[in-house]
Amino acid sequence: MKKNLIAFSANRALILAVLITFAMGACKGKKKVAETAPPPPPVEQVKETPPPAPPAPAPEEVAAQKLEGSFNQIAAAGNASIANQSIEETLRMFSNQESPVLIVIHEENGIKDYDEPTTIRKYLEYLKDTKKNLNYISDIRLDANGKVSELELRRK
């Protein structure tokens, strides 16, 4: 009986070892199948388009901004030589020194009343003398060369 018991235990151990080997082989096979599975489809990324760049300012707007700065610089000049230098720099922006400057004193129903017309040189000298810039540019006209040919001002 001892032989049967040993033989029976050996058979059982052998069968148990084979089953464990199959079980481990089956687990490794599943891992390989799981590892070789195709990756999930990529998620589409929605790219946000940046907002469009603001349009470039018109030449009239650029000239008006430069002139406003020049007018303020002339009015705030510490002495006459600095003001005269600023006046000469500003006059280079105009087609000529006699370019008209119109100052609107009243407007009703689209009809404008102007102060006495003046020239740009006289207006710049006025700014230098009074040291006050009481007007702002309401309309500006440029010639074919991009220089200011006419200026319309209004009270601030």
Side-chain angles (χ1 to χ4, degrees), residues 113-126:
D113 290 327
Y114 296 100
D115 196 0
E116 182 180 343
T118 187
T119 64
I120 188 58
R121 176 164 284 285
K122 289 179 183 176
Y123 183 72
L124 295 175
E125 293 291 337
Y126 168 79

Side-chain angles (χ1 to χ4, degrees), residues 59-85:
E60 289 86 1
E61 292 175 13
V62 173
Q65 289 175 351
K66 287 181 181 178
L67 281 175
E68 287 286 347
S70 295
F71 292 168
N72 291 329
Q73 186 177 8
I74 292 167
N79 59 41
S81 64
I82 294 173
N84 288 334
Q85 184 180 4

Side-chain angles (χ1 to χ4, degrees), residues 59-68 70-71 89-102 119-121 124 137 139-153:
E60 289 86 1
E61 292 175 13
V62 173
Q65 289 175 351
K66 287 181 181 178
L67 281 175
E68 287 286 347
S70 295
F71 292 168
E89 289 174 10
T90 304
L91 285 174
R92 288 188 214 125
M93 295 177 65
F94 286 83
S95 56
N96 63 49
Q97 294 181 9
E98 302 302 314
S99 296
V101 176
L102 305 170
T119 64
I120 188 58
R121 176 164 284 285
L124 295 175
I137 299 171
D139 190 25
I140 188 169
R141 297 216 173 92
L142 303 178
D143 64 7
N145 298 326
K147 294 195 173 203
V148 179
S149 61
E150 187 178 313
L151 197 59
E152 182 179 279
L153 306 174

